[in-house]
Amino acid sequence: MDTFKIYYPVRPCNITQGFGENIEYYKQIGLQKGHNGLDIEAYHGQPVHATHDGIAYLSVDSKEGVGYVLVSDKLFPYNGSECAFKTIYWHLCSLSDPKFAPVVQSGTKVKAGDLLGYADSTGFSTGDHLH
């Protein structure tokens, strides 16, 4: 059985905030206990690529944040069972930005390395990056 392989979504891949960090800050703004992902340094408009094969689902939140949820298109072994893996790419450029609009239609099958969209700053972020 294959093993799940994951690649960097941007290069270089410099993590600026890790999962679970800054608990006190996130408590103050009424969110979860700590940061709920990895923040990766990226400049405005930097290409963001799929980190694995799967189906990409475009998503927009209530604050006009744009991103993709990428679900593996097959099952992989994990803790004695099989499961699909999911990665999320957030803070992408707006749907209304023709130069940097998301590239992949929702529900499209993609391969690792395929272009998804371009980095931006949305929601509570303080600058362009990938979450």
Side-chain angles (χ1 to χ4, degrees):
M1 183 174 287
D2 292 337
T3 57
F4 182 69
K5 295 176 185 168
I6 191 167
Y7 302 91
Y8 294 128
V10 296
R11 288 183 186 256
C13 189
N14 298 317
I15 296 172
T16 58
Q17 182 175 206
F19 188 83
E21 291 183 1
N22 299 316
I23 293 169
E24 292 305 316
Y25 170 76
Y26 287 100
K27 273 188 198 175
Q28 290 175 13
I29 60 174
L31 296 177
Q32 67 282 343
K33 296 179 182 178
H35 188 243
N36 67 346
L38 296 175
D39 282 348
I40 301 171
E41 182 180 334
Y43 58 83
H44 183 77
Q46 182 171 359
V48 175
H49 301 273
T51 61
H52 57 88
D53 298 347
I55 308 296
Y57 298 95
L58 183 64
S59 183
V60 179
D61 68 18
S62 63
K63 298 192 183 302
E64 297 183 19
V66 176
Y68 284 98
V69 175
L70 178 57
V71 180
S72 63
D73 55 354
K74 60 184 191 176
L75 300 177
F76 295 91
Y78 181 75
N79 281 349
S81 188
E82 289 185 327
C83 69
F85 283 87
K86 172 174 72 172
T87 53
I88 300 172
Y89 310 77
W90 211 253
H91 302 307
L92 299 183
C93 288
S94 167
L95 299 172
S96 63
D97 185 343
K99 184 176 178 186
F100 295 118
V103 174
V104 176
Q105 296 254 347
S106 191
T108 301
K109 188 171 185 173
V110 298
K111 293 285 191 187
D114 285 354
L115 179 64
L116 295 175
Y118 303 91
D120 196 6
S121 176
T122 61
F124 290 111
S125 70
T126 57
D128 296 326
H129 71 285
L130 177 65
H131 176 89

